[in-house]
Amino acid sequence: MKSNCVLTFHSGFAQRDIVIRVLQRLAAMRSAATDAETADFSQQHTPDSDSNNTEYYSKAESLVGLVDYPPYIVYAILDQVADQLSPEILEIERQVDAIDEQVLVLTHAQHDSALKKMGEQRRRILQTWQLAHPKPRVIEVLVRLMRAGGSTPRLAQEVVQYLSDVHGHLAAAVSSCARAEAVLARSHSNYLAKISLELSRATFDSNATTERWTMLGIIVVPINIVTSFLGVNLKVPGQDRDDTLNFFVVLACLLVYAAITLAFWRWRQLA
């Protein structure tokens, strides 16, 4: 911004759209100033024009002065930028709150989509923060320059009030970006904690299954060895008996061994 002009640099359609809207706003203000001047002229030619003449004149003068005042044009551009950031900020806050609520109730199939949503929202937050973060500083510098002195102190004071309002909106946008980033960071931590718990649960279940199969092997393998020896095609003790006493003795020994092994395993589990 120089003393009598405002330079803008833009490359995308969205930036050109901002300038177009500002030009339309200035044109509407110039039209309103023309109407105010017309009303002022008509009031000057009425018998009771003394009471309202100053008011109409001040309104027309203020509008004409603001339309041609470069700091006001800068304010209009910043105000349009702040207005376009507001819907984006609201959408980011809505998406971030939704992610924060859903991250703890995700199913296994939704893990990839949740991580993708977090990445997308963090990218949007960074882009919005880059747009909003430097502008409050620009407004502070502009306000300081305007308060330092100028040829139109009344217009400068009026624009300073407008800029203070935009400064508050932009500061709120920066604060909203910081809050959204903090919520996403917490959601990401909760997401990692949930995955860690699921992995721990899966590992525990796998270890429990492995222990059960190991215990079964400890019981079955010795029994299989004993029954293999007793089933060989050789003469074994008790083979000449005609009753089934040896069978029940061997069976009882195997059952006692299995019971003792299971009892020892359960005791080790509880210890």
Side-chain angles (χ1 to χ4, degrees):
M1 184 190 70
K2 298 183 70 174
S3 59
N4 57 354
C5 66
V6 176
L7 298 179
T8 61
F9 301 89
H10 45 82
S11 58
F13 176 77
Q15 297 177 358
R16 291 196 297 269
D17 184 63
I18 291 175
V19 176
I20 291 172
R21 290 177 181 271
V22 171
L23 292 176
Q24 292 174 349
R25 176 177 180 176
L26 296 176
M29 291 179 61
R30 188 175 294 278
S31 176
T34 302
D35 295 340
E37 288 178 351
T38 303
D40 178 31
F41 179 79
S42 62
Q43 287 291 328
Q44 288 179 355
H45 292 79
T46 57
D48 56 345
S49 61
D50 294 337
S51 60
N52 296 326
N53 186 29
T54 303
E55 179 183 354
Y56 280 107
Y57 180 77
S58 298
K59 178 179 179 182
E61 182 186 19
S62 176
L63 288 175
V64 172
L66 289 176
V67 169
D68 297 329
Y69 192 45
Y72 180 81
I73 299 175
V74 175
Y75 152 74
I77 295 174
L78 292 174
D79 186 49
Q80 190 64 38
V81 171
D83 289 342
Q84 291 197 353
L85 285 177
S86 297
E88 182 71 11
I89 292 294
L90 292 177
E91 180 63 18
I92 287 175
E93 290 180 344
R94 188 183 67 82
Q95 292 290 342
V96 167
D97 291 339
I99 292 174
D100 187 47
E101 292 176 359
Q102 296 175 0
V103 70
L104 295 179
V105 294
L106 292 175
T107 62
H108 183 72
Q110 296 175 328
H111 283 175
D112 292 340
S113 62
L115 191 60
K116 182 179 179 181
K117 288 180 181 178
M118 290 182 190
E120 292 175 352
Q121 294 305 315
R122 278 192 160 173
R123 183 167 59 253
R124 291 179 63 182
I125 291 171
L126 180 59
Q127 292 173 351
T128 305
W129 183 85
Q130 288 176 340
L131 289 174
H133 178 67
K135 290 177 176 57
R137 178 60 180 169
V138 172
I139 292 176
E140 293 173 1
V141 173
L142 181 60
V143 169
R144 187 165 59 249
L145 291 175
M146 294 176 64
R147 287 177 175 174
S151 58
T152 54
R154 183 178 59 82
L155 291 178
Q157 184 62 30
E158 187 173 354
V159 174
V160 165
Q161 295 178 0
Y162 296 156
L163 288 174
S164 299
D165 182 63
V166 178
H167 184 277
H169 288 295
L170 291 174
V174 174
S175 177
S176 297
C177 289
R179 172 194 171 276
E181 176 62 26
V183 172
L184 271 185
R186 183 186 65 188
S187 299
H188 191 257
S189 299
N190 293 338
Y191 172 78
L192 295 178
K194 181 177 176 61
I195 292 179
S196 178
L197 288 175
E198 291 181 353
L199 290 176
S200 299
R201 188 179 299 111
T203 302
F204 177 79
D205 295 340
S206 178
N207 291 338
T209 302
T210 302
E211 289 180 359
R212 293 188 184 96
W213 282 105
T214 302
M215 195 64 233
L216 182 62
I218 293 174
I219 295 174
V220 171
V221 170
I223 292 177
N224 190 24
I225 294 175
V226 172
T227 55
S228 298
F229 274 112
L230 295 178
V232 295
N233 193 17
L234 297 173
K235 191 173 182 64
V236 295
Q239 188 175 358
D240 297 332
R241 295 179 63 90
D242 294 333
D243 54 20
T244 58
L245 177 62
N246 289 339
F247 169 77
F248 288 108
V249 170
V250 172
L251 181 61
C253 292
L254 295 179
L255 292 176
V256 169
Y257 167 75
I260 292 174
T261 306
L262 285 174
F264 177 76
W265 179 66
R266 292 297 300 273
W267 175 77
R268 288 294 301 272
Q269 289 289 323
L270 298 176

